[in-house]
Amino acid sequence: MKAAIYTQYGPPEVVQVTEIQKPVPLKNEVLLRVYASTVNRTDAGFRSAEYFISRFWSGLFKPKYQVLGSEFVGVIEEIGVDVKSFKVGDKIVGFDDKKFGGHAEYLTLNDSDAFAILPEGFTFTESAALTEGSHYALVNIRAANVQPGQNVLVYGATGAIGSAAVQLLKHFGAHVTAVCNTPNVALVKSLGADFVIDYLTEDFRKTSLKFDFIFDAVGKSSYAVCKNLLTDKGIYISTELGNNGINILLALITPIFKGKKLLFPIPSISQKDVEFLRDLAQRGEFKPVIDRIYSLDQIVEAYKYVESGQKIGNVILKIAE
Ligand SMILES: NC(=O)c1ccc[n+]([C@@H]2O[C@H](COP(=O)([O-])OP(=O)(O)OC[C@H]3O[C@@H](n4cnc5c(N)ncnc54)[C@H](OP(=O)(O)O)[C@@H]3O)[C@@H](O)[C@H]2O)c1
């Protein structure tokens, strides 16, 4: 089968499209014919091993699993004898940041992995990006225990995580203020933001609003800068570690006290989470923002664009027609 593989950590060019052996499903596994995937910051982070810590999961000296692709959508082509909840022909969507595998024509999944049946009416292209940014957003929104009517600021509302966060926060009944640049104000409003701050014309730090939760979805602000904008028990979460990993330290210290705090939840995703996100999409409450679409052969270009930090939402990788 055709796959994009990497045998060493490094820049986008370490990825090569080549032929590898098609996987065979075990008794409790399904074989998925992949139609689409994404190239996202999770794939890029593991490929570059920019943060050395990722190697404790992906292999200390070289990658344990050579095919990246944390998101995937496709059709089940074979099932193991013990698989009861899925059948051949099921169209499914899922996420895997342990074994990955979406950047190939086939992958195998354990029947309890984080994937769910995709209802009719969804195209592979629009469904491929249902899980990555959105599950990070969901983990953080849950950690902040967002309640209906609360004021939330999403900084970086045009990324995969930020654009999902705005939509999920509206589902949970929050009042959302979103920060983005001028060309994307209309997009972010269309995602449901109640109020948009254009960072090219306005400094969000000068707003008179106070927030129960500030979610920095692009990891470019800091707790020190945002603290004054938090309510007395307000919560700050960033998707990045902060300068010298300060966010890890603050996540250990600030919750000891009763007031404002920084949290740093460890992301996870289950089959139930994928079902939740799929159901939201089915009800029209969540629609992943799609920027560019690349073919598997163009994967190096796709990585370069994703790592420019300029993508709007998600970058799709088409694996099959
Ligand atoms: N290491 C990992 O495994 C991992 C996994 C997932 C995510 N992450 C981190 O999570 C963050 C978000 O990822 P993502 O995929 O959602 O983001 P992304 O899609 O790469 O975010 C890019 C978007 O953020 C906007 N942006 C950049 N700087 C901004 C700023 N200062 N203010 C407002 N908007 C800004 C950009 O628009 P403009 O600049 O044009 O305004 C662009 O639309 C990244 O920092 C990423 O590294 C890490």
Side-chain angles (χ1 to χ4, degrees):
M1 68 168 182
K2 198 168 164 184
I5 65 160
Y6 76 129
T7 54
Q8 56 175 306
Y9 298 116
E13 289 80 5
V14 299
V15 179
Q16 288 176 325
V17 178
T18 185
E19 287 290 324
I20 62 169
Q21 212 163 356
K22 184 175 159 185
V24 177
L26 301 173
K27 283 200 285 193
N28 59 343
E29 288 183 335
V30 307
L31 176 73
L32 184 74
R33 170 76 164 109
V34 183
Y35 280 81
S37 179
T38 56
V39 174
N40 55 49
R41 299 291 290 249
T42 304
D43 302 321
F46 276 86
R47 191 215 65 235
S48 66
E50 178 193 359
Y51 293 119
F52 194 85
I53 193 170
S54 68
R55 296 180 185 223
F56 290 111
W57 288 271
S58 60
L60 215 44
F61 301 107
K62 59 183 181 144
K64 244 187 317 199
Y65 301 104
Q66 295 185 344
V67 180
L68 284 166
S70 51
E71 289 186 299
F72 40 80
V73 58
V75 178
I76 294 179
E77 219 171 84
E78 272 179 60
I79 57 168
V81 288
D82 290 346
V83 175
K84 301 288 175 241
S85 321
F86 300 95
K87 60 181 190 314
V88 170
D90 280 346
K91 196 168 158 185
I92 66 113
V93 61
F95 181 87
D96 185 340
D97 62 356
K98 307 283 179 308
K99 293 186 276 120
F100 293 83
H103 295 167
E105 289 177 322
Y106 290 92
L107 66 84
T108 52
L109 294 162
N110 188 297
D111 64 354
S112 59
D113 284 346
F115 68 95
I117 291 176
L118 199 62
E120 285 308 315
F122 280 81
T123 68
F124 291 123
T125 307
E126 71 186 359
S127 318
L130 264 177
T131 52
E132 196 247 6
S134 62
H135 93 278
Y136 292 127
L138 187 61
V139 164
N140 291 312
I141 291 167
R142 282 178 177 159
N145 193 21
V146 172
Q147 299 298 313
Q150 283 193 326
N151 261 341
V152 180
L153 178 91
V154 178
Y155 183 74
T158 50
I161 303 175
S163 58
V166 172
Q167 299 177 72
L168 265 53
L169 283 160
K170 288 312 296 174
H171 166 77
F172 288 111
H175 186 85
V176 179
T177 299
V179 183
C180 68
N181 65 9
T182 317
N184 293 306
V185 168
L187 167 75
V188 171
K189 276 191 182 153
S190 77
L191 299 177
D194 300 283
F195 188 61
V196 180
I197 298 176
D198 174 354
Y199 74 76
L200 292 178
T201 57
E202 200 183 338
D203 185 347
F204 79 98
R205 295 170 297 184
K206 296 195 175 137
T207 177
S208 55
L209 296 168
K210 293 279 178 209
F211 300 97
D212 302 289
F213 175 33
I214 295 181
F215 181 35
D216 179 356
V218 284
K220 298 226 172 133
S221 70
S222 70
Y223 183 57
V225 160
C226 294
K227 209 175 161 194
N228 286 339
L229 302 180
L230 288 173
T231 54
D232 289 347
K233 295 199 170 189
I235 291 170
Y236 172 89
I237 296 181
S238 169
T239 53
E240 288 286 342
L241 300 173
N243 277 346
N244 301 317
I246 183 76
N247 291 343
I248 301 293
L249 188 67
L250 289 169
L252 295 172
I253 297 168
T254 56
I256 297 171
F257 305 100
K258 278 195 173 149
K260 309 174 185 195
K261 52 179 172 266
L262 179 149
L263 301 179
F264 202 91
I266 306 295
S268 68
I269 183 167
S270 66
Q271 218 164 70
K272 283 213 165 333
D273 294 330
V274 182
E275 287 165 2
F276 172 77
L277 294 164
R278 174 209 58 195
D279 291 348
L280 279 189
Q282 200 173 4
R283 293 202 301 270
E285 292 183 59
F286 169 51
K287 192 173 191 313
V289 173
I290 293 170
D291 185 345
R292 296 187 185 176
I293 302 175
Y294 291 89
S295 69
L296 185 59
D297 289 324
Q298 298 169 310
I299 190 163
V300 172
E301 295 315 307
Y303 268 119
K304 286 182 183 166
Y305 180 55
V306 167
E307 285 162 72
S308 71
Q310 296 301 302
K311 74 177 163 69
I312 310 298
N314 302 276
V315 167
I316 306 295
L317 196 66
K318 256 194 170 172
I319 312 284
E321 289 302 328

